[in-house]
Amino acid sequence: MKRWAKVIISLGWFAAGVLSDTARRLVGARRKPRLVILCYHAAPVEKKHLLETQLDHIKESFPVLAADTDVSKLAQDAVALTFDDAFESVARIAIPMLRTRGLTATVFVPAGAMGSPPGWAFDGGSGDQREVVASAAELRGLDANTVSFGSHTLTHPRLSTLADAALEAEVAQSRAVLEGELARPIRTMAFPHGDHDERVVRACLTNGYTLMYSITPTPVFKGFNGVVRGRVTVEPDDPSIEFFLKVRGAYAWMAQASALKTRMIGKRRPAAPAAGAAGAVGAA
């Protein structure tokens, strides 16, 4: 029920956007082009035909650009494809599909888990217990014209919860391992679980990353110059209407709703007593 409530709200958001775009065109104006970045995880063989249908829809509907494309040059609405966790199913099923269609994607690799089952799958993470992270050798063999790589840390933790030394290790060592094993430059980071704060972003910038990716479903509009880009999570078995709306940026309302909820909670929370007041109570 919750899922379909989101679909209904997103449908309204999409319709409002179409009306707004029409009104702009009537007065000779135009909305800024946007890049919608999709975030996939696994590509199970039993869902292969569903993923094929989605990729065909994307190819027929939008230009597909790299996730790190320079959006200052964005000429029209476009889509970018990313895959978190670098599962074997992505390497063996999804990437060949992309190659035959002339599409590209960025695969974010948990450097410390290559060739192993995803340990985070067993504690509520986004992994699939049937999946295995592809080995360095398998990832190295993927077509460089189809796949670029980014870091997904070493061990897939919630980065904002880590002490400084552990955070430094996750972002710095993962990049070093991946550049050594994959012989490709690593300049981008996808936050595991989407978890990040200002300290995490600073650590990434300090360690040579130029762009980072969340799972906040906000499109990247032309002229955006931030270092954290939003993505919308998709699955091969998303219902057609849900996928249609996600690809067109219609789930962006969720980020605004979340921000509004945070502000409302902050307003309702009672203010902490001033230091002087606390001292007076203590003295009493």
Side-chain angles (χ1 to χ4, degrees), residues 192-205:
H193 316 286
D195 180 61
H196 67 286
D197 56 18
E198 290 184 7
R199 183 176 64 102
V200 170
V201 172
R202 285 197 303 271
C204 290
L205 292 172

Side-chain angles (χ1 to χ4, degrees), residues 1-24:
M1 186 65 182
K2 185 177 180 181
R3 180 178 200 168
W4 286 105
K6 291 179 180 178
V7 170
I8 292 169
I9 295 171
S10 299
L11 189 58
W13 185 274
F14 173 72
V18 171
L19 290 173
S20 177
D21 289 349
T22 301
R24 284 191 181 96

Side-chain angles (χ1 to χ4, degrees), residues 99-151:
R99 188 173 63 249
T100 60
R101 289 166 173 78
L103 304 178
T104 62
T106 302
V107 175
F108 291 103
V109 186
M114 288 187 289
S116 304
W120 59 91
F122 306 105
D123 64 359
S126 60
D128 185 326
Q129 294 184 25
R130 298 170 298 169
E131 292 284 349
V132 174
V133 179
S135 68
E138 184 165 21
L139 293 172
R140 266 197 313 273
L142 297 179
D143 179 17
N145 293 319
T146 303
V147 181
S148 61
F149 294 112
S151 171

